[in-house]
Amino acid sequence: MDVEDKILLVRGILGAIAGVISAFSNSFIYAVIIVLVSYIISIPIVTFYFKIKKNWLVFGKGSLTLAIAWFLILVSVYNVFG
């Protein structure tokens, strides 16, 4: 598996976890804060675990995947348990 694919996988998993947590929050502001915190958590994981120095790979690669995974899981969990 390539490093870029691993970054996408890590950020997708973090987005899914953030989506589940956001579904049970009571406010849209808290939901957005949760996804931002998960993005901030992913930066050191990508930097130190994969030992990457390129800015695009650290900050950009997979950020859309994180946001889409967060939103899809948020809507799915909210519709099932909401």
Side-chain angles (χ1 to χ4, degrees):
M1 204 180 212
D2 199 22
V3 175
E4 288 88 5
D5 296 334
K6 291 178 184 177
I7 294 170
L8 290 173
L9 185 64
V10 166
R11 289 203 169 144
I13 291 170
L14 285 173
I17 292 169
V20 170
I21 295 170
S22 296
F24 296 111
S25 67
N26 294 331
S27 173
F28 177 73
I29 300 298
Y30 292 141
V32 171
I33 289 172
I34 291 168
V35 76
L36 289 176
V37 167
S38 68
Y39 175 72
I40 291 169
I41 289 171
S42 74
I43 293 172
I45 292 172
V46 169
T47 302
F48 298 120
Y49 184 70
F50 298 121
K51 296 181 180 27
I52 295 176
K53 302 293 184 208
K54 295 180 183 177
N55 285 338
W56 166 247
L57 293 177
V58 173
F59 297 110
K61 187 77 171 183
S63 57
L64 185 61
T65 302
L66 186 138
I68 290 171
W70 166 73
F71 184 71
L72 290 176
I73 297 298
L74 171 69
V75 170
S76 299
V77 171
Y78 183 77
N79 283 332
V80 171
F81 294 110

Coordinates of all heavy atoms in Angstrom, one line a residue:
M1 N 0.8 -1.2 0.0 CA 0.0 0.0 0.0 C 0.9 1.2 0.0 O 1.9 1.3 0.7 CB -0.9 0.0 1.2 CG -2.1 0.7 1.1 SD -3.0 0.6 2.7 CE -4.6 0.7 2.1
D2 N 0.6 2.2 -0.8 CA 1.3 3.4 -0.9 C 1.0 4.3 0.2 O 0.0 4.2 0.9 CB 1.0 4.1 -2.3 CG 2.0 5.1 -2.7 OD1 3.1 5.0 -2.3 OD2 1.6 6.0 -3.5
V3 N 2.0 5.2 0.5 CA 1.8 6.2 1.7 C 0.6 7.1 1.5 O -0.1 7.3 2.5 CB 3.1 7.0 1.9 CG1 2.9 8.0 2.9 CG2 4.3 6.1 2.2
E4 N 0.3 7.5 0.3 CA -0.8 8.4 0.0 C -2.1 7.6 0.3 O -3.1 8.2 0.8 CB -0.8 8.9 -1.4 CG 0.3 10.0 -1.7 CD 1.6 9.4 -2.1 OE1 1.7 8.1 -2.2 OE2 2.6 10.1 -2.2
D5 N -2.2 6.4 0.0 CA -3.4 5.6 0.3 C -3.6 5.4 1.8 O -4.7 5.4 2.3 CB -3.3 4.2 -0.4 CG -3.2 4.3 -1.9 OD1 -3.8 5.3 -2.4 OD2 -2.7 3.4 -2.6
K6 N -2.5 5.2 2.5 CA -2.6 5.1 4.0 C -3.1 6.4 4.6 O -3.8 6.3 5.6 CB -1.2 4.7 4.5 CG -0.8 3.3 4.2 CD 0.6 3.0 4.8 CE 1.1 1.6 4.3 NZ 2.4 1.3 4.8
I7 N -2.6 7.5 4.1 CA -3.1 8.8 4.6 C -4.6 8.9 4.3 O -5.4 9.3 5.2 CB -2.4 10.0 3.9 CG1 -0.9 10.0 4.3 CG2 -3.0 11.3 4.2 CD1 -0.1 10.9 3.5
L8 N -5.1 8.5 3.1 CA -6.5 8.6 2.9 C -7.3 7.6 3.8 O -8.4 8.0 4.3 CB -6.8 8.2 1.4 CG -6.4 9.1 0.3 CD1 -6.5 8.5 -1.0 CD2 -7.1 10.4 0.4
L9 N -6.8 6.5 4.1 CA -7.4 5.5 5.0 C -7.5 6.1 6.4 O -8.5 6.0 7.0 CB -6.6 4.2 4.9 CG -7.3 3.0 5.7 CD1 -8.6 2.7 5.1 CD2 -6.3 1.9 5.7
V10 N -6.4 6.6 6.9 CA -6.4 7.2 8.3 C -7.4 8.3 8.4 O -8.2 8.4 9.3 CB -5.0 7.6 8.6 CG1 -5.0 8.5 9.9 CG2 -4.1 6.5 8.9
R11 N -7.4 9.2 7.4 CA -8.3 10.3 7.5 C -9.8 9.9 7.3 O -10.7 10.5 7.9 CB -7.9 11.4 6.5 CG -6.6 12.1 7.0 CD -6.4 13.5 6.5 NE -5.3 14.1 7.2 CZ -4.5 14.9 6.6 NH1 -4.6 15.2 5.4 NH2 -3.5 15.5 7.4
G12 N -10.0 8.9 6.5 CA -11.3 8.4 6.3 C -11.8 7.7 7.6 O -13.0 7.9 8.0
I13 N -11.0 7.0 8.3 CA -11.4 6.4 9.6 C -11.6 7.5 10.7 O -12.6 7.4 11.4 CB -10.3 5.4 10.1 CG1 -10.3 4.2 9.2 CG2 -10.5 5.0 11.5 CD1 -9.1 3.3 9.4
L14 N -10.8 8.5 10.7 CA -11.0 9.6 11.6 C -12.3 10.4 11.3 O -13.0 10.8 12.2 CB -9.8 10.5 11.7 CG -8.6 10.0 12.4 CD1 -7.4 11.0 12.2 CD2 -8.8 9.8 13.9
G15 N -12.6 10.5 10.0 CA -13.8 11.2 9.6 C -15.0 10.4 10.1 O -16.1 10.9 10.5
A16 N -14.9 9.0 10.0 CA -16.1 8.2 10.4 C -16.3 8.2 11.9 O -17.4 8.3 12.4 CB -15.8 6.7 9.9
I17 N -15.2 8.2 12.6 CA -15.3 8.3 14.1 C -15.9 9.7 14.5 O -16.7 9.8 15.3 CB -13.9 8.1 14.7 CG1 -13.5 6.7 14.5 CG2 -13.9 8.5 16.2 CD1 -12.0 6.4 14.9
A18 N -15.4 10.8 13.8 CA -16.0 12.1 14.1 C -17.4 12.2 13.7 O -18.2 12.9 14.4 CB -15.2 13.1 13.3
G19 N -17.8 11.5 12.7 CA -19.3 11.5 12.3 C -20.1 10.8 13.3 O -21.2 11.3 13.6
V20 N -19.7 9.7 13.9 CA -20.4 9.0 14.9 C -20.6 9.9 16.2 O -21.6 10.1 16.7 CB -19.8 7.7 15.3 CG1 -20.4 7.1 16.5 CG2 -19.9 6.7 14.1
I21 N -19.5 10.5 16.6 CA -19.5 11.4 17.7 C -20.4 12.6 17.5 O -21.1 13.1 18.3 CB -18.1 11.8 18.1 CG1 -17.3 10.6 18.6 CG2 -18.1 12.9 19.2 CD1 -15.8 10.8 18.8
S22 N -20.3 13.2 16.3 CA -21.0 14.4 15.9 C -22.5 14.1 15.9 O -23.4 15.0 16.1 CB -20.6 14.9 14.6 OG -19.3 15.4 14.6
A23 N -22.9 12.9 15.5 CA -24.3 12.5 15.4 C -25.0 12.6 16.8 O -26.2 12.9 16.9 CB -24.5 11.2 14.9
F24 N -24.3 12.4 17.8 CA -24.9 12.5 19.2 C -24.6 13.8 19.9 O -25.0 13.9 21.1 CB -24.3 11.3 20.0 CG -24.7 10.0 19.5 CD1 -23.8 9.1 18.9 CD2 -26.0 9.6 19.5 CE1 -24.1 7.9 18.4 CE2 -26.4 8.3 19.0 CZ -25.4 7.5 18.4
S25 N -24.0 14.7 19.2 CA -23.9 16.1 19.8 C -25.2 16.8 19.6 O -26.0 16.5 18.7 CB -22.7 16.8 19.2 OG -23.0 17.1 17.9
N26 N -25.4 17.8 20.4 CA -26.7 18.5 20.4 C -26.7 19.8 19.5 O -27.7 20.5 19.4 CB -27.1 18.9 21.8 CG -27.4 17.7 22.6 OD1 -27.9 16.7 22.1 ND2 -27.2 17.8 23.9
S27 N -25.5 20.1 19.0 CA -25.4 21.4 18.3 C -24.6 21.2 17.0 O -23.7 20.4 16.9 CB -24.7 22.4 19.2 OG -24.5 23.6 18.5
F28 N -24.9 22.0 16.0 CA -24.1 22.0 14.8 C -22.7 22.5 15.0 O -21.8 22.0 14.4 CB -24.8 22.9 13.7 CG -24.1 23.0 12.4 CD1 -24.0 21.9 11.6 CD2 -23.4 24.1 12.1 CE1 -23.3 21.9 10.4 CE2 -22.7 24.2 10.9 CZ -22.6 23.1 10.1
I29 N -22.6 23.5 15.9 CA -21.3 24.1 16.2 C -20.4 23.0 16.8 O -19.2 22.9 16.5 CB -21.4 25.3 17.2 CG1 -22.3 26.4 16.6 CG2 -20.1 25.8 17.6 CD1 -21.7 27.0 15.3
Y30 N -20.9 22.2 17.7 CA -20.1 21.1 18.3 C -19.7 20.1 17.3 O -18.6 19.5 17.3 CB -20.9 20.4 19.4 CG -21.1 21.2 20.7 CD1 -22.3 21.2 21.4 CD2 -20.1 22.1 21.1 CE1 -22.5 22.0 22.5 CE2 -20.3 22.9 22.2 CZ -21.5 22.8 22.9 OH -21.7 23.6 24.0
A31 N -20.6 19.8 16.3 CA -20.3 18.8 15.3 C -19.2 19.4 14.4 O -18.3 18.6 14.0 CB -21.6 18.6 14.4
V32 N -19.2 20.6 14.1 CA -18.1 21.2 13.3 C -16.8 21.2 14.0 O -15.7 20.9 13.5 CB -18.5 22.6 12.8 CG1 -17.3 23.3 12.1 CG2 -19.7 22.5 11.8
I33 N -16.9 21.5 15.3 CA -15.7 21.5 16.2 C -15.1 20.1 16.2 O -13.9 20.0 16.2 CB -16.0 22.1 17.6 CG1 -16.3 23.6 17.5 CG2 -14.9 21.8 18.5 CD1 -16.8 24.2 18.8
I34 N -15.9 19.1 16.3 CA -15.4 17.7 16.4 C -14.7 17.4 15.1 O -13.6 16.7 15.1 CB -16.6 16.8 16.7 CG1 -17.1 17.0 18.1 CG2 -16.2 15.3 16.4 CD1 -18.4 16.3 18.4
V35 N -15.2 17.7 13.9 CA -14.5 17.4 12.7 C -13.2 18.2 12.5 O -12.2 17.7 12.0 CB -15.5 17.6 11.5 CG1 -15.6 19.0 11.1 CG2 -14.9 16.8 10.3
L36 N -13.2 19.4 13.0 CA -12.0 20.2 13.0 C -10.9 19.6 13.9 O -9.7 19.6 13.6 CB -12.2 21.7 13.3 CG -13.0 22.5 12.3 CD1 -13.3 23.9 12.8 CD2 -12.2 22.5 11.0
V37 N -11.3 19.2 15.1 CA -10.4 18.5 16.0 C -9.9 17.2 15.4 O -8.7 16.9 15.5 CB -11.1 18.3 17.4 CG1 -10.3 17.4 18.3 CG2 -11.3 19.6 18.1
S38 N -10.7 16.5 14.7 CA -10.2 15.2 14.1 C -9.2 15.5 13.0 O -8.3 14.8 12.8 CB -11.4 14.4 13.6 OG -12.0 15.0 12.5
Y39 N -9.4 16.6 12.3 CA -8.4 17.0 11.3 C -7.1 17.4 11.9 O -6.1 17.0 11.4 CB -9.0 18.2 10.4 CG -8.0 18.7 9.4 CD1 -7.6 18.0 8.3 CD2 -7.4 19.9 9.6 CE1 -6.7 18.4 7.4 CE2 -6.4 20.4 8.7 CZ -6.1 19.7 7.6 OH -5.2 20.1 6.7
I40 N -7.2 18.2 13.0 CA -6.0 18.6 13.7 C -5.3 17.4 14.3 O -4.0 17.4 14.3 CB -6.4 19.7 14.8 CG1 -6.8 20.9 14.1 CG2 -5.2 19.9 15.7 CD1 -7.4 22.0 15.0
I41 N -6.0 16.4 14.8 CA -5.4 15.2 15.3 C -4.7 14.4 14.2 O -3.7 13.8 14.4 CB -6.4 14.3 16.0 CG1 -6.9 15.0 17.3 CG2 -5.9 12.9 16.2 CD1 -8.0 14.3 18.0
S42 N -5.3 14.5 13.0 CA -4.7 13.7 11.9 C -3.3 14.3 11.4 O -2.5 13.5 10.8 CB -5.7 13.6 10.7 OG -5.7 14.9 10.0
I43 N -3.1 15.5 11.6 CA -1.9 16.2 11.1 C -0.6 15.5 11.8 O 0.3 15.1 11.1 CB -1.9 17.7 11.3 CG1 -3.0 18.3 10.3 CG2 -0.5 18.3 11.0 CD1 -3.2 19.7 10.5
P44 N -0.6 15.4 13.1 CA 0.6 14.8 13.7 C 0.7 13.3 13.4 O 1.8 12.8 13.3 CB 0.4 15.0 15.2 CG -0.7 15.9 15.4 CD -1.4 16.0 14.2
I45 N -0.4 12.6 13.2 CA -0.4 11.2 12.9 C 0.3 11.1 11.5 O 1.2 10.2 11.3 CB -1.8 10.6 12.9 CG1 -2.4 10.5 14.3 CG2 -1.8 9.2 12.2 CD1 -3.8 10.1 14.3
V46 N -0.1 11.9 10.6 CA 0.5 11.8 9.2 C 2.0 12.2 9.2 O 2.8 11.6 8.6 CB -0.3 12.7 8.2 CG1 0.4 12.9 6.9 CG2 -1.7 12.1 8.0
T47 N 2.3 13.3 10.0 CA 3.6 13.8 10.0 C 4.6 12.8 10.7 O 5.7 12.5 10.1 CB 3.7 15.1 10.7 OG1 2.8 16.0 10.1 CG2 5.1 15.7 10.7
F48 N 4.3 12.3 11.9 CA 5.2 11.5 12.6 C 5.1 10.1 12.3 O 6.2 9.4 12.3 CB 5.0 11.8 14.1 CG 5.2 13.2 14.5 CD1 4.2 13.9 15.1 CD2 6.5 13.8 14.3 CE1 4.5 15.3 15.5 CE2 6.7 15.1 14.7 CZ 5.7 15.8 15.3
Y49 N 4.0 9.5 12.1 CA 3.8 8.1 11.8 C 4.4 7.7 10.4 O 5.1 6.7 10.3 CB 2.4 7.6 12.0 CG 2.2 6.2 11.9 CD1 2.7 5.3 12.8 CD2 1.6 5.6 10.7 CE1 2.5 3.9 12.7 CE2 1.4 4.3 10.6 CZ 1.9 3.4 11.6 OH 1.7 2.1 11.4
F50 N 4.0 8.5 9.5 CA 4.4 8.2 8.1 C 5.7 9.0 7.7 O 6.2 8.8 6.6 CB 3.3 8.6 7.1 CG 2.1 7.8 7.3 CD1 0.9 8.4 7.6 CD2 2.1 6.4 7.2 CE1 -0.3 7.7 7.7 CE2 1.0 5.7 7.4 CZ -0.2 6.3 7.7
K51 N 6.2 9.9 8.6 CA 7.4 10.6 8.4 C 7.5 11.3 7.0 O 8.3 11.2 6.2 CB 8.6 9.7 8.5 CG 8.8 9.1 9.9 CD 10.0 8.3 10.0 CE 10.2 7.7 11.4 NZ 9.1 7.4 12.2
I52 N 6.5 12.2 6.8 CA 6.3 12.9 5.6 C 6.6 14.4 5.8 O 6.2 15.0 6.9 CB 4.9 12.8 5.0 CG1 4.7 11.3 4.7 CG2 4.6 13.7 3.9 CD1 3.3 11.0 4.2
K53 N 7.3 15.0 4.9 CA 7.6 16.5 5.1 C 6.9 17.3 4.0 O 6.9 18.5 4.2 CB 9.1 16.6 4.9 CG 9.9 15.9 5.9 CD 9.7 16.4 7.3 CE 10.6 15.6 8.3 NZ 10.1 15.5 9.6
K54 N 6.3 16.8 3.0 CA 5.6 17.6 2.0 C 4.3 18.2 2.5 O 3.5 17.5 3.1 CB 5.3 16.7 0.8 CG 6.5 16.2 0.0 CD 6.2 15.4 -1.2 CE 7.4 14.8 -1.8 NZ 7.0 13.9 -3.0
N55 N 4.2 19.5 2.3 CA 3.0 20.2 2.9 C 1.7 19.7 2.3 O 0.7 19.6 3.0 CB 3.1 21.7 2.6 CG 4.1 22.3 3.6 OD1 4.4 21.8 4.6 ND2 4.6 23.5 3.2
W56 N 1.6 19.3 1.0 CA 0.4 18.9 0.4 C 0.0 17.5 1.0 O -1.2 17.4 1.3 CB 0.5 18.7 -1.1 CG -0.6 17.9 -1.7 CD1 -0.5 16.7 -2.3 CD2 -2.0 18.3 -1.7 NE1 -1.8 16.3 -2.7 CE2 -2.7 17.3 -2.3 CE3 -2.7 19.4 -1.3 CZ2 -4.1 17.3 -2.5 CZ3 -4.1 19.4 -1.5 CH2 -4.7 18.4 -2.1
L57 N 0.9 16.7 1.3 CA 0.5 15.4 1.9 C 0.1 15.5 3.3 O -0.8 14.8 3.8 CB 1.7 14.4 1.7 CG 2.1 14.0 0.3 CD1 3.3 13.0 0.3 CD2 0.9 13.3 -0.4
V58 N 0.7 16.4 4.0 CA 0.4 16.6 5.5 C -0.9 17.3 5.6 O -1.7 16.9 6.4 CB 1.6 17.4 6.2 CG1 1.2 17.7 7.6 CG2 2.8 16.6 6.2
F59 N -1.1 18.4 4.9 CA -2.3 19.2 5.2 C -3.4 19.0 4.2 O -4.6 19.2 4.5 CB -1.9 20.7 5.1 CG -0.9 21.1 6.2 CD1 0.4 21.4 5.9 CD2 -1.3 21.1 7.5 CE1 1.3 21.7 6.9 CE2 -0.4 21.4 8.5 CZ 0.9 21.7 8.2
G60 N -3.2 18.6 3.0 CA -4.2 18.6 2.0 C -4.7 17.2 1.6 O -5.9 17.0 1.5
K61 N -3.8 16.2 1.5 CA -4.2 14.9 1.0 C -5.2 14.3 2.0 O -4.9 14.1 3.2 CB -2.9 14.0 0.9 CG -3.2 12.7 0.3 CD -3.3 12.9 -1.2 CE -3.4 11.5 -1.9 NZ -3.4 11.6 -3.3
G62 N -6.3 13.9 1.6 CA -7.3 13.2 2.4 C -8.2 14.1 3.2 O -9.1 13.6 3.9
S63 N -8.0 15.4 3.1 CA -8.9 16.3 3.9 C -10.4 16.3 3.4 O -11.3 16.3 4.2 CB -8.4 17.7 4.0 OG -8.2 18.2 2.7
L64 N -10.5 16.2 2.1 CA -11.8 16.0 1.5 C -12.4 14.7 1.9 O -13.6 14.6 2.2 CB -11.8 16.2 0.0 CG -13.2 16.2 -0.7 CD1 -14.0 17.4 -0.2 CD2 -13.0 16.3 -2.2
T65 N -11.6 13.6 1.9 CA -12.1 12.3 2.3 C -12.6 12.3 3.8 O -13.6 11.8 4.1 CB -10.9 11.3 2.2 OG1 -10.5 11.3 0.8 CG2 -11.4 9.9 2.6
L66 N -11.8 13.0 4.7 CA -12.2 13.2 6.0 C -13.6 13.9 6.1 O -14.5 13.4 6.8 CB -11.2 14.0 6.8 CG -11.4 14.1 8.3 CD1 -10.1 13.9 9.0 CD2 -12.0 15.4 8.7
A67 N -13.8 15.0 5.4 CA -15.0 15.7 5.4 C -16.2 14.9 4.9 O -17.3 14.9 5.5 CB -14.9 17.0 4.7
I68 N -16.0 14.2 3.8 CA -17.1 13.4 3.2 C -17.4 12.2 4.1 O -18.6 11.9 4.3 CB -16.7 12.9 1.8 CG1 -16.6 14.1 0.9 CG2 -17.6 11.9 1.3 CD1 -16.1 13.8 -0.5
A69 N -16.4 11.5 4.7 CA -16.7 10.4 5.6 C -17.4 10.9 6.8 O -18.4 10.3 7.3 CB -15.4 9.8 6.0
W70 N -17.0 12.1 7.3 CA -17.7 12.7 8.5 C -19.2 13.0 8.2 O -20.1 12.6 8.9 CB -17.0 14.0 8.9 CG -17.8 14.8 9.9 CD1 -18.0 14.6 11.2 CD2 -18.5 16.0 9.6 NE1 -18.8 15.6 11.7 CE2 -19.1 16.5 10.7 CE3 -18.6 16.8 8.4 CZ2 -19.8 17.7 10.8 CZ3 -19.3 18.0 8.4 CH2 -19.9 18.4 9.6
F71 N -19.4 13.6 7.1 CA -20.8 14.0 6.7 C -21.7 12.8 6.5 O -22.8 12.7 6.9 CB -20.8 14.9 5.5 CG -22.2 15.4 5.2 CD1 -22.8 16.3 6.0 CD2 -22.8 14.9 4.0 CE1 -24.1 16.8 5.7 CE2 -24.1 15.4 3.7 CZ -24.7 16.3 4.5
L72 N -21.2 11.8 5.7 CA -22.0 10.6 5.4 C -22.3 9.8 6.7 O -23.4 9.3 6.8 CB -21.3 9.7 4.4 CG -21.2 10.3 3.0 CD1 -20.4 9.4 2.1 CD2 -22.6 10.5 2.4
I73 N -21.3 9.6 7.5 CA -21.6 8.9 8.8 C -22.5 9.7 9.7 O -23.4 9.1 10.3 CB -20.3 8.5 9.5 CG1 -19.4 7.6 8.6 CG2 -20.5 7.9 10.8 CD1 -20.1 6.2 8.3
L74 N -22.3 11.0 9.7 CA -23.2 11.8 10.5 C -24.6 11.7 10.1 O -25.5 11.5 10.9 CB -22.7 13.3 10.4 CG -23.7 14.4 11.0 CD1 -23.6 14.3 12.5 CD2 -23.3 15.7 10.6
V75 N -24.9 11.8 8.8 CA -26.3 11.7 8.3 C -26.8 10.3 8.5 O -28.0 10.1 8.9 CB -26.3 12.1 6.8 CG1 -27.6 11.8 6.2 CG2 -26.0 13.6 6.7
S76 N -26.0 9.3 8.3 CA -26.5 7.9 8.5 C -26.8 7.6 9.9 O -27.9 7.0 10.2 CB -25.4 6.9 8.0 OG -25.1 7.1 6.6
V77 N -25.9 7.9 10.8 CA -26.2 7.6 12.2 C -27.4 8.5 12.7 O -28.2 8.0 13.5 CB -24.9 7.8 13.1 CG1 -25.2 7.8 14.5 CG2 -23.9 6.8 12.7
Y78 N -27.4 9.7 12.3 CA -28.6 10.6 12.7 C -29.9 10.0 12.3 O -30.9 10.1 13.0 CB -28.3 12.0 12.2 CG -29.4 12.9 12.7 CD1 -29.4 13.4 14.0 CD2 -30.4 13.3 11.9 CE1 -30.3 14.3 14.5 CE2 -31.4 14.2 12.3 CZ -31.4 14.7 13.6 OH -32.3 15.5 14.1
N79 N -30.0 9.5 11.0 CA -31.2 8.9 10.5 C -31.6 7.6 11.2 O -32.8 7.3 11.4 CB -31.1 8.7 9.0 CG -31.2 10.0 8.3 OD1 -31.9 10.9 8.7 ND2 -30.6 10.0 7.1
V80 N -30.6 6.8 11.6 CA -30.9 5.6 12.3 C -31.3 5.8 13.7 O -32.3 5.2 14.2 CB -29.7 4.6 12.2 CG1 -29.9 3.4 13.1 CG2 -29.4 4.2 10.8
F81 N -30.6 6.6 14.5 CA -30.8 6.8 15.9 C -31.5 8.1 16.2 O -31.9 8.3 17.4 CB -29.5 6.8 16.7 CG -28.8 5.4 16.6 CD1 -27.7 5.3 15.9 CD2 -29.4 4.4 17.3 CE1 -27.0 4.1 15.8 CE2 -28.8 3.1 17.2 CZ -27.6 3.0 16.5
G82 N -31.7 9.0 15.3 CA -32.2 10.3 15.5 C -33.7 10.3 15.6 O -34.4 10.9 16.3

